[in-house]
Amino acid sequence: MPLNLTKIAFGAKSFADIEEWYANRKSFKVNTRYRPTRWEETIGGSLFWIHEHNIVARSKILGYSQQDNGRWWIEIEPRLVRVMPRPKRAHQGWRYLKGEPPRDLVDGEEIGDVIPGRLAGKLQRLGLI
């Protein structure tokens, strides 16, 4: 089973901003300082986007390539897949996703009102959700 990564959707004011990043692209690359040490295991896994303290979407990881300045590109599929929102604290750069990844939403599935990530995290620590 491939490893998955999480990354903050930095600069996105809304989910529509993330969707706009993907609009009309034939390829999509994410800039990062360091390549994961277990990078080979992440190929075929997904990069999960965190927005407003919730994991909200994912894209399949296709590979990695090094830039001239020593940084790395994470090459991802230019298709955004919405997932069932799950609380996730903010972090810098990327992190490995621990545990079972959130499931994909099926076409037309309504998620209803999503509890804000910070509140959901507190409720989860209290064992209420």
Side-chain angles (χ1 to χ4, degrees):
M1 176 179 261
L3 289 175
N4 299 301
L5 302 176
T6 60
K7 185 155 178 53
I8 299 294
F10 183 77
K13 303 284 186 232
S14 67
F15 186 79
D17 287 347
I18 301 170
E19 291 177 312
E20 203 171 289
W21 296 348
Y22 283 77
N24 303 316
R25 288 197 180 219
K26 294 191 186 322
S27 66
F28 193 24
K29 296 178 181 181
V30 176
N31 186 19
T32 186
R33 183 179 300 174
Y34 301 110
R35 181 182 68 183
T37 54
R38 299 171 64 186
W39 66 275
E40 292 167 313
E41 295 175 68
T42 66
I43 296 173
S46 292
L47 176 73
F48 285 85
W49 290 106
I50 301 169
H51 183 259
E52 295 181 350
H53 299 279
N54 280 302
I55 295 175
V56 294
R58 69 173 185 86
S59 291
K60 186 176 180 179
I61 298 172
L62 302 175
Y64 294 84
S65 57
Q66 192 166 24
Q67 302 174 41
D68 293 338
N69 61 5
R71 295 177 67 90
W72 290 87
W73 290 118
I74 303 173
E75 299 163 1
I76 60 176
E77 192 173 72
R79 186 174 80 92
L80 188 64
V81 179
R82 290 194 79 154
V83 299
M84 182 59 75
R86 178 192 293 171
K88 181 73 173 149
R89 288 182 20 183
H91 56 71
Q92 290 185 331
W94 55 264
R95 297 287 185 273
Y96 294 112
L97 178 65
K98 295 179 177 137
E100 193 68 28
R103 71 171 178 82
D104 295 350
L105 294 178
V106 295
D107 287 337
E109 182 177 6
E110 291 294 323
I111 57 172
D113 293 330
V114 177
I115 298 173
R118 289 182 184 167
L119 176 59
K122 289 178 183 178
L123 293 173
Q124 193 173 34
R125 283 190 296 280
L126 293 170
L128 299 174
I129 59 171

